[in-house]
Amino acid sequence: MESCRAKGSSPARRLFGSKGFHTATTAELATEASVCMGQIYRRFSSKSDIILSIVEENARARVAEMHGIFDTIERNERSMFDALKAITAISLQNGDGGLSYEILAEACRNASVAERIETLFAFYRVGVRRLVTLTRPDVSPAERDTYVDIMMACFIGLGYRTADLYSVDVARTAVADWR
């Protein structure tokens, strides 16, 4: 099962990112992945399930990276400032380009994709809440929620800046001395 996902993810990302979710056919996906359509439908019941798999894979990787950063803060191996720079660098890594927009567009059209994204963002939100709590343990729950909302918008929005016409220098932005 894992090998099917690994074999199908990269071609799905490329195909959906270049052609769009609705324009790309399952037959094209099978050809791109060098598998028969039956193999795709044994693993996924629909194209929506494929995009959900991509979303889940992205979210798991990002959340794991964030928690790794937070662990280094708690062990006093990294400053809060360096942690924010590291999270910024992660947020700016959007190798899927147009696929991110395709996923958001599909979430607007497909309630199951929107619900799954909301669930995955909840895990990301827990990570950001952990960062806020580490940074500002003295604030009220309402203030903490406000900080979380602002940071979520910033971190998630940074990922979409890489697809903007204005060229983002990822290395410069991630390591700039913001003080």
Side-chain angles (χ1 to χ4, degrees):
M1 195 73 83
E2 188 66 32
S3 64
C4 184
R5 181 187 312 156
K7 196 171 192 178
S9 283
S10 184
R13 286 174 187 275
R14 280 193 307 272
L15 191 62
F16 292 155
S18 66
K19 291 193 76 168
F21 182 66
H22 289 283
T23 306
T25 67
T26 308
E28 289 173 315
L29 181 57
T31 300
E32 181 82 14
S34 300
V35 300
C36 67
M37 284 185 42
Q39 286 178 298
I40 292 173
Y41 283 113
R42 274 193 284 281
R43 173 72 171 96
F44 305 101
S45 62
S46 67
K47 283 195 327 185
S48 290
D49 284 348
I50 297 169
I51 208 154
L52 287 173
S53 178
I54 292 169
V55 168
E56 288 171 353
E57 186 179 311
N58 288 353
R60 275 192 300 275
R62 290 284 167 96
V63 168
E65 289 172 316
M66 281 180 47
H67 283 292
I69 291 167
F70 301 153
D71 291 345
T72 63
I73 294 169
E74 289 174 340
R75 292 190 306 262
N76 292 318
E77 296 170 1
R78 179 180 288 185
S79 71
M80 188 60 64
F81 183 72
D82 288 338
L84 287 171
K85 288 187 342 183
I87 293 169
T88 299
I90 290 168
S91 298
L92 285 167
Q93 295 170 4
N94 185 3
D96 290 331
L99 180 59
S100 298
Y101 290 107
E102 283 293 323
I103 291 169
L104 289 177
E106 185 61 18
C108 291
R109 295 184 289 262
N110 184 325
S112 66
V113 173
E115 289 171 20
R116 185 67 55 88
I117 288 174
E118 186 175 321
T119 300
L120 295 170
F121 274 7
F123 288 113
Y124 194 74
R125 182 176 290 280
V126 167
V128 172
R129 182 175 301 285
R130 182 177 173 197
L131 178 63
V132 170
T133 301
L134 288 168
T135 308
R136 296 293 312 269
D138 58 319
V139 300
S140 71
E143 288 174 303
R144 187 172 295 127
D145 289 343
T146 300
Y147 283 124
V148 169
D149 287 341
I150 291 168
M151 291 175 76
M152 287 285 293
C154 291
F155 292 144
I156 292 168
L158 281 172
Y160 294 101
R161 287 284 294 141
T162 59
D164 193 351
L165 292 178
Y166 169 75
S167 179
V168 175
D169 183 340
V170 174
R172 181 186 54 78
T173 304
V175 299
D177 187 1
W178 301 340
R179 293 178 218 195

